Amino acid sequence: MTMMHNPAHPGEVLREWIPEDMTVGQAAQALQINRVTLSNVLNGKSGVTASFALRLAAWLGTSPEMWVGMQAQWDLWQARQQPTPKIKPLPRHAA
């Protein structure tokens, strides 16, 4: 599996799916979530949860795995940008 360089936040992708003439409030109402919650995702301030992914999948005709996977890729890329401690591998014991 190839790793994407600096993957898009799911909120950035979601902005492309929402019709231009639809407000954040209208989209939030359609998804049955708070407008602030949706705004935070769209602006990359919070992530797509499993529950939110299920709502997006139902609303947009996608799969929840697509949204969760996108979030996981973004989270992992962000984590890899941070310094990590040296972790000594756990020795394997013969069975």
Side-chain angles (χ1 to χ4, degrees):
M1 178 179 183
T2 59
M3 193 175 82
M4 188 183 248
H5 177 69
N6 194 9
H9 185 277
E12 187 178 339
V13 176
L14 179 56
R15 275 188 266 152
E16 299 295 320
W17 286 70
I18 298 174
E20 286 185 28
D21 62 342
M22 181 177 272
T23 67
V24 173
Q26 291 169 328
Q29 186 175 25
L31 289 164
Q32 298 181 25
I33 60 171
N34 182 296
R35 184 193 62 77
V36 174
T37 300
L38 179 57
S39 181
N40 283 338
V41 171
L42 291 172
N43 291 311
K45 294 180 181 177
S46 63
V48 172
T49 63
S51 174
F52 191 62
L54 289 168
R55 291 169 190 259
L56 289 173
W59 190 47
L60 299 171
T62 60
S63 72
E65 291 84 3
M66 180 185 102
W67 297 101
V68 171
M70 206 181 312
Q71 184 66 53
Q73 284 184 345
W74 189 85
D75 289 341
L76 189 55
W77 191 87
Q78 293 297 316
R80 284 184 170 141
Q81 304 317 300
Q82 303 302 314
T84 56
K86 297 289 182 192
I87 306 293
K88 185 177 178 180
L90 180 67
R92 296 186 183 251
H93 293 39

